[in-house]
Amino acid sequence: MVAAPLAGKSASSLSLNAIATRKGLRFGSAIASGAPGADRGSVANPAYANLVASQCGLVVAENEMKWQALRPTPTTFAFERFDTILRWAERQHLAVRGHNLLWHQPKWLPAWLNTYDFGTTPHREAERLLTTHINTVLRRYGQRIGSYDVVNEAVRPADGVLYDTSLSRALGGAEPTLDLAFHTARVAAPHAQLVYNDYMSWEPGNAAHRAGVLRLLEGFRRRNVPIDALGIQSHLVTQGPDVAASVTRLQRDWRQFLDAVTQMGYALLITELDVRDNGLPADIAVRDRAVAEYTRGYLDVTLSYPAVRDVLSWGLCDRYSWIEGFEPRKDGARRRPSLYDTQFRPKPMREAVAAAFATATSR
Ligand code: G3I
């Protein structure tokens, strides 16, 4: 595809999705539901919702499609909060991704499922529970959702081994459980892109995680499990002030990983981009520049793979990022993980993402 001239608009006045689209990419973000007027990163907060609608071509619900949100009890579904996001997105003509159909860790399943009594035929009951969940969600949304994280974070980062859950114990192992999720999704939503989503990254300490994900993806191919893409979450972590050196050092292993994944025929998506500003001084200008440079280096390497078509950030502004609550900075300074600051103003990271899209090869 040849990019058309910018038609009088400077790159900075274009939305990120408009810049992405010129290269055959899409840009999106996570968004939440919330009470009208509440100061949250939600569709009911006009300041945030307008920012997302103005910059994005697609969105994903930050929490509202997870079992913990959708399944208050073994027999009920609570769709209202997700439906609010979907209706809002459709009014804005935004595509929607589904996240996720099975977050395969006990910690992120509803409490009732971790202690569930599977009865005298546990295999059959676990199969019924999992397939009912996936079929109900996929049939409800039909063509309105074009891509699903069918399985999320099934690999233990420390050793690359698969997690077990109450479901996998009843079904005779993690592999049959994950396979069943994908097979069920393919039949219920033949139109949809089916994704395995995880946070193996390029930073030190991720080698066992990457190796475990590669083994899982190889196994899926060997067993003919229907999967289209690997979702690379991309919760990045800066490695100190010498960003150029970090990028040079990290890209070798990262390219090896991406080569292996794409050689197996998987498409790639960046699903949850944000940055933990570790090893950087509190000074905001210095930190923002380093975060932007690190993001740019990561995107340049990763977008050099034409198999990447979608880039989503995990929230668009610092004000609502999950990172501040889960992993605050040791020096007490507020985290600056996102493309926009707490006042919805664009940061250098926004320019870095725009520049990475603008210089990416067309796909
Ligand atoms: O909704 C309840 C609210 O009713 C309650 O008062 C409050 C008290 O803690 O908790 C609220 O739920 C929280 C929810 O976020 C909504 O804010 C949960 O405790 C909290 O665990 C949950 O955290 C989310 C986390 O996933 C776990 O689901 C984060 O917002 C969300 O950003 C994070 O997203 C994950 C991706 O799904 C997968 N990849 C990693 C990524 C970051 O951790």
Side-chain angles (χ1 to χ4, degrees):
M1 202 178 86
V2 178
L6 283 173
K9 280 201 159 188
S10 74
S12 62
S13 68
L14 289 171
S15 78
L16 288 167
N17 189 56
I19 300 168
T21 304
R22 299 166 59 78
K23 298 301 173 70
L25 290 158
R26 294 189 298 182
F27 176 74
S29 172
I31 192 162
S33 67
D39 190 10
R40 291 204 56 197
S42 100
V43 295
N45 172 0
Y48 186 71
N50 291 341
L51 177 66
V52 171
S54 72
Q55 295 299 321
C56 294
L58 78 162
V59 290
V60 59
E62 184 171 358
N63 291 305
E64 290 75 359
M65 192 184 263
K66 297 171 182 173
W67 280 65
Q68 282 187 344
L70 278 191
R71 302 301 304 277
T73 74
T75 52
T76 54
F77 285 79
F79 286 117
E80 301 76 26
R81 290 195 299 150
F82 181 77
D83 285 354
T84 310
I85 295 176
L86 182 58
R87 278 196 302 270
W88 171 84
E90 289 177 343
R91 281 199 302 277
Q92 309 298 327
H93 307 290
L94 300 171
V96 178
R97 300 199 65 243
H99 172 83
N100 50 62
L101 299 173
L102 179 62
W103 191 341
H104 199 242
Q105 292 179 33
K107 186 178 176 188
W108 300 117
L109 290 171
W112 64 258
L113 186 50
N114 288 327
T115 54
Y116 189 73
D117 177 2
F118 289 87
T120 52
T121 51
H123 188 286
R124 193 181 308 161
E125 178 58 5
E127 183 172 320
R128 189 195 66 76
L129 262 180
L130 181 58
T131 58
T132 301
H133 179 83
I134 293 175
N135 284 328
T136 305
V137 174
L138 269 50
R139 286 179 191 150
R140 180 180 180 87
Y141 296 118
Q143 304 274 341
R144 299 168 77 189
I145 297 183
S147 173
Y148 283 95
D149 294 333
V150 177
V151 175
N152 191 51
E153 298 173 21
V155 175
R156 297 196 315 215
D159 57 10
V161 172
L162 298 176
Y163 288 100
D164 267 314
T165 63
S166 60
L167 286 171
S168 67
R169 280 187 292 274
L171 280 163
E175 283 181 357
T177 307
L178 310 186
D179 293 1
L180 176 64
F182 280 104
H183 282 293
T184 308
R186 179 61 99 218
V187 173
H191 70 281
Q193 179 191 50
L194 305 184
V195 179
Y196 173 72
N197 189 50
D198 209 333
Y199 61 87
M200 67 289 126
S201 198
W202 72 346
E203 282 93 10
N206 278 265
H209 199 177
R210 287 194 301 267
V213 169
L214 283 183
R215 276 194 301 277
L216 179 65
L217 295 178
E218 281 158 10
F220 285 148
R221 283 294 187 243
R222 239 188 351 263
R223 302 190 298 276
N224 277 319
V225 181
I227 305 180
D228 302 305
L230 173 67
I232 304 164
Q233 293 185 5
S234 310
H235 295 293
L236 307 179
V237 187
T238 51
Q239 301 293 302
D242 192 348
V243 174
S246 308
V247 170
T248 305
R249 198 170 59 245
L250 299 179
Q251 64 172 301
R252 213 181 106 246
D253 287 351
W254 190 234
R255 284 188 189 279
Q256 251 172 36
F257 174 73
L258 296 179
D259 287 344
V261 175
T262 51
Q263 276 157 19
M264 286 187 260
Y266 291 99
L268 302 171
L269 304 80
I270 293 177
T271 50
E272 306 183 11
L273 177 68
D274 56 22
V275 184
R276 260 162 284 177
D277 47 16
N278 290 1
L280 298 174
D283 181 280
I284 285 177
V286 174
R287 244 195 309 159
D288 281 359
R289 264 199 311 279
V291 164
E293 195 189 337
Y294 192 75
T295 306
R296 176 74 195 272
Y298 175 77
L299 288 178
D300 282 350
V301 174
T302 309
L303 292 177
S304 74
Y305 289 77
V308 180
R309 294 296 172 89
D310 290 330
V311 177
L312 292 96
S313 63
W314 204 239
L316 262 194
C317 79
D318 293 343
R319 190 175 187 89
Y320 307 116
S321 170
W322 67 285
I323 294 175
E324 187 62 29
F326 278 66
E327 201 186 311
R329 272 175 70 96
K330 292 195 177 73
D331 62 7
R334 190 181 176 126
R335 290 280 193 187
R336 297 182 64 82
S338 313
L339 286 70
Y340 289 78
D341 72 7
T342 54
Q343 304 305 311
F344 308 98
R345 291 176 301 220
K347 293 163 53 191
M349 183 177 168
R350 196 263 184 208
E351 284 166 39
V353 173
F357 290 161
T359 53
T361 47
S362 292
R363 48 215 73 204

